[in-house]
Amino acid sequence: MSYFIDAVLKSDEKIELRQFLHELRAKDQRYLLRNDIERAFTEYCEDHEKSEAFQHVSNLGKLIFYTQEIIVEDESVCAIVRPKIAYQEAFRIHEDFTYDKMTVQDLLDTRDRFVDRYKPQEGDVFEIDFEPFYDYSPTIRDPKNIGKGVQFLNRYLSSKLFQAPRQWKETLFQFLSLHSYNGLKLMINPRIGSWEQLSDRVKQAIGFVSQRPENDPYENFRFDLQDMGFEPGWGNTANRVRETLEILDELIDSPDDSVLEGFLSRIPMIFRIVLVSVHGWFGQEGVLGRPDTGGQVVYVLDQARSLEKQLQTELQQAGLDVLGVHPKVIVLSRLIPNADGTRCNERLEKIWGTDDAWILRVPFRKFNPNVTDNWISRFEIWPYLETYAIDAEKELLVEFKEKPDLIVGNYSDGNIVAFLLSRRLNVTQFNVAHALEKSKYLFSNLYWQDLENQYHFSLQFITDLISMNAANCIISSTYQEIVGRTDSVGQYESYHCFTMPDLYHVVTGIELFSPKFNVVPPGVNENIYFPYTRQEQRVPDDAERLEELLFTLDDPSQVYGKLDDPSKRPLFSMARLDRIKNLTGLAECFGQSKELQKHCNLILVAGKLREDESNDPEEISEMRKLYEIIDRYELHGKFRWLGVRLPKTDSGEVYRVIADRRGVFVQPALFEAFGLTILEAMISGIPTFGTQFGGPLEIIQDRVNGFYINPTNLEETAQKLIDFVTKCEQNPDYWLEISRKGIDRVYTTYTWKIHTTRLLSMAKTFGFWNYSSKENREDMMRYIEALFYLIYKPRAQALLEDHMQR
């Protein structure tokens, strides 16, 4: 990247850089992020009447494009430049316009110095560096393949089978010998004593089953296969058994990554799954809209249902259902004694629409009942998680009668519990972040001490480092969640190098090229969220009731605001009232645009209407802000705010009612890790405008099946909405075109069947990898434990002592 700096400093553009930096110094802002830099350079080009080519094509324009951060110091400027995805460099540009490349330590010291926390006289700061621990595993080379870890591992493993056939065939043979379920032997028995014998017997068995009718049930020839050395698990019919044996035969004779993946996906090795979702109110009704409860609950419940269904299908195809082999899925959450009318005080609750999937709620130990008997914010939950994991282990073993085969953590607290459980039980651990707070709260690591009393980021960020490095696999919803885009840093990438001043420096926080990263987007519950055109699936009374609620009902306990003209096109959004979801930003955008108000009404579904209904400071602050915006812009008659917690069936119909009115869905979040509401709106048939900061960039194809917005640019956002509704008024078919393409996008890419099929295939691949690689992760795990006991646990104990005084 020094090429661009050299090119600028050795040309006439050096003067432009000098002038640009001089103008930056004249501003109050001393730490500029990507958006700030881009805006400042645009203003510079406009003020100095620079051409479009200069702004975007000149060497200075390219340098600015790749610059992610600028720190303006007294005698120099520090520029963090990201020339390509997942790679960054830092340079210090001096007053005489010479420059030096900065080390990671220099950069972190500079950031500490910016917040007056650099204290070299007190000794060096503790450095966290995970880089040496990734020497044991293969790494991806091409950034385009980040997030495709399983495909990479299958290629790597198949190449090993090809390069060292004897060793790896022996490993495969031993792996097949391992499998059983509750004492029932699966796959192969001791009648097959070596991999050479396995190869011969596979060919013999193929010949045997090929002579039987394709649909001949496995039970009819089970004992014949058993005599050859093959136990249940190969298939439920002669045809299915033959297919599985032929895949293994091909794998033995000519290894290939697709063949390996196909074979591993057929091995029955996953029967019991734990999905960990600790914080918040976790239930099937009466919880959405409460603090810390939103898309994650929907995600986990839908995932649990889909996993059970997919496991049932796989076990049936393996011929195991008739032998009494059935899957069980448990969602592990927190039991809240003071459940506020929900079922969160019940230990066990069956998940609707399943045969053997349950919510298992385990309470926190009492400590101070004034705290632990009630809901605890996700920012304050940390002191209870270690003992919670110990208690949860006992409860899980009671319910499963065996240890689980896979543990999937959700969010930071669930992931640390998943780590503690998987470490104790020696079980494969998957992580799902949903959202990493470090990306949501800008400068949260730099100013963690100022934010500690409210957010406790010192605990959150060390938790994230521990769990993401401990995990066998990290499931992300999008590629950009891992490593961002050309012009933006990914959520996980933000953990690669950062400082927590006075606490520690992270030199290498995560290996972004590790095959543990896998993009597996979620789906939507198609029984609840489906297109508005499917009138045969809709309940007319529900549609009528919700239409009244949305547009005309006069009930101050549920609704604030009346519409002067309910027939106007509705702009609609539904989210929690917190700063990141930015519903107040959408209201302000609407309030500032008289033109938009001529065409549309704004309708928000946001959980609560009154401060006395909430004990969440951030939610209360957003309520006050929303009321102030309504008054300031005189939105009465053009705006409705529904303070309701909708059951899931109602939330699905609400989208369809908005679609009936040819409405528009707007997702204005300042940052969105994925965006389930975007999927829900699109599958319902509502043209959708989604934030350009986060996951919506990969769901929506801009101006094809939806639109991107920059929620920090209110004027631009309003204009995009005006352009769309104006075009729809001129050509009603345009609304239908975007609606149809949005529906198609979800059905082809974002379904739970696609998600769970890939997740289970990945779990099996990682199971084989963990066994076959014989990699010694114990050094990393000991390092992780040191971070847990030396950083996490003392800080959690200090927070507990604070809770004991409440």
Side-chain angles (χ1 to χ4, degrees):
M1 198 60 231
S2 58
Y3 163 79
F4 286 117
I5 297 180
D6 283 334
V8 169
L9 296 184
K10 293 176 181 178
S11 71
D12 292 342
E13 292 180 25
K14 174 180 179 179
I15 299 170
E16 304 288 355
L17 176 59
R18 184 190 301 275
Q19 182 67 27
F20 175 60
L21 294 181
H22 175 75
E23 293 185 13
L24 281 187
R25 286 188 180 281
K27 299 177 183 291
D28 292 334
Q29 198 170 2
R30 287 288 181 269
Y31 202 130
L32 292 86
L33 299 181
R34 176 83 188 100
N35 260 6
D36 306 316
I37 298 165
E38 189 176 43
R39 189 179 300 113
F41 190 61
T42 299
E43 290 174 1
Y44 172 81
C45 291
E46 290 174 352
D47 292 344
H48 294 270
E49 298 181 347
K50 298 297 180 182
S51 67
E52 193 81 9
F54 175 83
Q55 184 173 348
H56 299 290
V57 181
S58 68
N59 286 319
L60 179 57
K62 291 176 182 176
L63 176 62
I64 294 298
F65 176 81
Y66 289 117
T67 301
Q68 292 293 320
E69 301 175 30
I70 289 178
I71 304 172
V72 180
E73 296 192 288
D74 291 339
E75 298 179 356
S76 63
V77 169
C78 172
I80 294 89
V81 183
R82 187 170 174 265
K84 57 185 178 181
I85 284 175
Y87 178 78
Q88 71 173 28
E89 297 174 302
F91 300 93
R92 188 182 303 283
I93 303 172
H94 303 286
E95 285 189 326
D96 61 358
F97 278 79
T98 59
Y99 72 90
D100 302 311
K101 187 171 181 179
M102 300 172 66
T103 65
V104 172
Q105 287 79 4
D106 289 339
L107 173 60
L108 297 178
D109 287 344
T110 298
R111 288 170 171 162
D112 286 352
R113 191 159 48 242
F114 178 80
V115 291
D116 294 325
R117 298 287 182 179
Y118 180 59
K119 302 171 184 175
Q121 68 277 8
E122 296 180 12
D124 292 334
V125 69
F126 175 51
E127 291 186 346
I128 296 174
D129 187 359
F130 277 97
E131 184 174 16
F133 300 105
Y134 282 93
D135 291 341
Y136 63 80
S137 65
T139 54
I140 293 166
R141 292 173 182 247
D142 190 339
K144 293 195 300 294
N145 292 324
I146 292 173
K148 301 176 182 177
V150 160
Q151 294 96 310
F152 172 81
L153 270 187
N154 281 321
R155 288 195 299 271
Y156 180 83
L157 288 167
S158 63
S159 71
K160 290 295 182 183
L161 275 165
F162 185 81
Q163 294 167 9
R166 173 173 289 275
Q167 173 189 342
W168 282 84
K169 287 174 183 176
E170 178 65 27
T171 299
L172 183 61
F173 165 70
Q174 295 294 341
F175 184 68
L176 289 174
S177 304
L178 292 176
H179 300 292
S180 64
Y181 174 84
N182 287 357
L184 174 68
K185 192 80 176 75
L186 303 177
M187 302 310 289
I188 62 176
N189 62 40
R191 290 186 177 92
I192 300 176
S194 66
W195 71 264
E196 294 94 343
Q197 197 172 13
L198 173 64
S199 182
D200 292 338
R201 292 287 176 86
V202 165
K203 289 176 170 55
Q204 180 185 344
I206 290 171
F208 170 74
V209 293
S210 296
Q211 297 173 10
R212 305 188 72 87
E214 286 192 352
N215 292 324
D216 193 12
Y218 170 72
E219 309 90 86
N220 292 349
F221 54 91
R222 171 185 176 184
F223 297 109
D224 296 295
L225 284 180
Q226 215 167 33
D227 287 341
M228 297 181 206
F230 296 98
E231 294 292 340
W234 296 90
N236 59 335
T237 65
N239 184 58
R240 180 78 180 183
V241 171
R242 178 180 56 78
E243 286 179 353
T244 307
L245 288 167
E246 285 177 345
I247 294 171
L248 176 58
D249 189 45
E250 184 178 356
L251 182 62
I252 291 172
D253 291 342
S254 51
D256 175 82
D257 58 299
S258 60
V259 176
L260 177 62
E261 182 178 9
F263 179 66
L264 291 177
S265 68
R266 291 193 176 211
I267 299 177
M269 60 175 105
I270 307 290
F271 310 99
R272 309 169 189 89
I273 298 178
V274 180
L275 308 176
V276 187
S277 182
V278 181
H279 75 263
W281 304 82
F282 197 99
Q284 301 182 81
E285 56 186 345
V287 298
L288 294 185
R290 293 176 183 270
D292 289 350
T293 304
Q296 182 178 325
V297 172
V298 175
Y299 177 107
V300 174
L301 285 172
D302 287 346
Q303 186 186 59
R305 293 187 185 95
S306 188
L307 278 170
E308 186 200 51
K309 187 174 182 180
Q310 185 63 30
L311 280 171
Q312 288 172 336
T313 298
E314 292 187 3
L315 295 179
Q316 182 267 329
Q317 290 175 337
L320 297 179
D321 58 326
V322 295
L323 301 177
V325 179
H326 300 290
K328 185 167 187 172
V329 178
I330 287 178
V331 175
L332 176 65
S333 191
R334 183 195 161 208
L335 188 147
I336 306 174
N338 295 334
D340 193 23
T342 72
R343 298 182 65 180
C344 294
N345 58 351
E346 296 181 16
R347 177 182 178 273
L348 207 57
E349 180 184 353
K350 190 174 183 183
I351 297 175
W352 302 333
T354 67
D355 295 320
D356 202 6
W358 303 82
I359 301 170
L360 172 63
R361 300 186 183 93
V362 177
F364 288 162
R365 293 186 188 175
K366 285 292 184 181
F367 295 103
N368 178 0
N370 292 330
V371 176
T372 52
D373 280 358
N374 301 293
W375 165 79
I376 302 172
S377 163
R378 71 183 189 272
F379 296 115
E380 302 238 334
I381 203 170
W382 313 108
Y384 310 102
L385 297 180
E386 183 180 16
T387 52
Y388 175 85
I390 293 169
D391 297 339
E393 178 189 357
K394 298 171 186 174
E395 298 287 339
L396 288 169
L397 293 176
V398 167
E399 293 301 319
F400 281 132
K401 308 293 191 294
E402 296 275 350
K403 71 179 185 178
D405 304 299
L406 174 66
I407 299 174
V408 182
N410 289 270
Y411 197 73
S412 300
D413 55 311
N415 288 333
I416 196 73
V417 171
F419 155 67
L420 293 167
L421 285 170
S422 63
R423 180 70 168 147
R424 291 171 65 90
L425 295 169
N426 192 26
V427 173
T428 300
Q429 174 198 348
F430 280 22
N431 279 10
V432 184
H434 294 285
L436 291 164
E437 304 288 358
K438 186 172 174 295
S439 300
K440 289 168 64 177
Y441 293 84
L442 294 180
F443 299 118
S444 50
N445 59 295
L446 270 183
Y447 294 101
W448 71 270
Q449 285 137 311
D450 300 331
L451 301 167
E452 189 71 355
N453 287 339
Q454 182 175 358
Y455 293 112
H456 304 285
F457 286 137
S458 67
L459 280 157
Q460 176 117 28
F461 298 163
I462 196 66
T463 293
D464 291 334
L465 286 171
I466 287 170
S467 59
M468 67 177 64
N469 283 285
N472 300 104
C473 173
I474 296 173
I475 299 171
S476 73
S477 298
T478 61
Y479 173 85
Q480 66 80 36
E481 185 181 336
I482 308 169
V483 286
R485 301 184 302 163
T486 305
D487 61 347
S488 63
V489 172
Q491 289 186 64
Y492 284 99
E493 187 179 357
S494 73
Y495 282 77
H496 182 73
C497 168
F498 68 97
T499 175
M500 298 287 282
D502 292 336
L503 187 58
Y504 56 74
H505 281 175
V506 177
V507 176
T508 306
I510 185 67
E511 174 53 75
L512 297 166
F513 290 84
S514 168
K516 71 168 60 183
F517 283 106
N518 285 273
V519 176
V520 189
V524 288
N525 187 331
E526 295 169 45
N527 295 319
I528 292 174
Y529 303 100
F530 52 84
Y532 74 103
T533 52
R534 295 187 185 173
Q535 295 295 337
E536 71 281 1
Q537 291 180 248
R538 300 176 65 179
V539 179
D541 288 347
D542 287 347
E544 186 177 330
R545 171 175 54 83
L546 291 170
E547 185 170 26
E548 180 186 10
L549 174 65
L550 284 165
F551 297 103
T552 59
L553 181 68
D554 185 6
D555 181 357
S557 68
Q558 298 185 77
V559 183
Y560 180 82
K562 297 178 182 179
L563 300 179
D564 293 339
D565 182 2
S567 66
K568 282 185 182 178
R569 191 185 303 271
L571 294 182
F572 176 67
S573 195
M574 181 160 53
R576 298 188 310 275
L577 264 178
D578 65 31
R579 188 181 65 82
I580 297 298
K581 294 299 182 184
N582 194 38
L583 290 184
T584 53
L586 175 58
E588 186 150 18
C589 171
F590 181 73
Q592 288 181 4
S593 175
K594 295 295 183 184
E595 183 67 21
L596 191 54
Q597 293 170 36
K598 289 180 186 177
H599 296 274
C600 303
N601 291 315
L602 178 60
I603 301 174
L604 304 180
V605 176
K608 297 182 178 73
L609 294 175
R610 285 168 287 278
E611 293 181 24
D612 58 11
E613 296 174 340
S614 176
N615 57 1
D616 184 334
E618 189 167 291
E619 185 175 44
I620 291 169
S621 174
E622 290 297 293
M623 281 184 197
R624 292 173 180 169
K625 188 175 178 181
L626 191 51
Y627 281 118
E628 188 272 328
I629 288 169
I630 295 167
D631 291 337
R632 187 189 345 147
Y633 294 107
E634 299 178 347
L635 295 180
H636 303 283
K638 308 165 189 175
F639 176 95
R640 268 170 81 81
W641 170 4
L642 278 64
V644 293
R645 294 180 184 138
L646 294 172
K648 282 184 68 177
T649 51
D650 279 359
S651 68
E653 187 61 27
V654 159
Y655 286 114
R656 291 186 287 273
V657 169
I658 296 293
D660 290 336
R661 299 265 189 135
R662 297 296 188 263
V664 176
F665 182 78
V666 186
Q667 207 274 26
L670 298 174
F671 180 84
E672 183 61 63
F674 182 62
L676 273 177
T677 56
I678 286 178
L679 290 186
E680 293 165 1
M682 288 174 72
I683 200 173
S684 303
I686 311 177
T688 298
F689 288 69
T691 178
Q692 69 183 40
F693 301 123
L697 284 173
E698 291 182 37
I699 301 174
I700 294 170
Q701 295 163 312
D702 192 33
R703 294 175 292 178
V704 175
N705 47 40
F707 304 88
Y708 300 149
I709 58 171
N710 179 346
T712 65
N713 189 330
L714 303 186
E715 184 178 344
E716 178 187 85
T717 297
Q719 191 59 52
K720 286 187 176 183
L721 289 164
I722 292 166
D723 291 345
F724 176 73
V725 298
T726 302
K727 190 169 182 178
C728 291
E729 288 166 4
Q730 295 168 351
N731 175 18
D733 287 344
Y734 184 60
W735 187 96
L736 292 169
E737 177 189 339
I738 300 297
S739 169
R740 185 184 68 254
K741 288 180 177 178
I743 293 168
D744 292 344
R745 173 68 171 166
V746 177
Y747 277 122
T748 56
T749 314
Y750 299 101
T751 69
W752 279 112
K753 179 170 177 55
I754 295 172
H755 173 95
T756 49
T757 300
R758 291 182 63 191
L759 188 149
L760 291 174
S761 177
M762 289 192 317
K764 294 173 182 182
T765 295
F766 276 101
F768 180 59
W769 165 250
N770 292 339
Y771 176 80
S772 62
S773 66
K774 308 298 182 186
E775 64 185 28
N776 183 9
R777 297 181 73 219
E778 193 60 24
D779 52 354
M780 178 191 275
M781 300 309 289
R782 290 298 187 186
Y783 185 69
I784 287 170
E785 286 179 341
L787 297 180
F788 179 83
Y789 286 107
L790 296 177
I791 299 178
Y792 177 95
K793 198 163 180 177
R795 303 196 73 83
Q797 183 62 36
L799 181 55
L800 178 61
E801 290 169 3
D802 175 64
H803 284 191
M804 295 298 289
Q805 305 304 314
R806 296 184 183 180

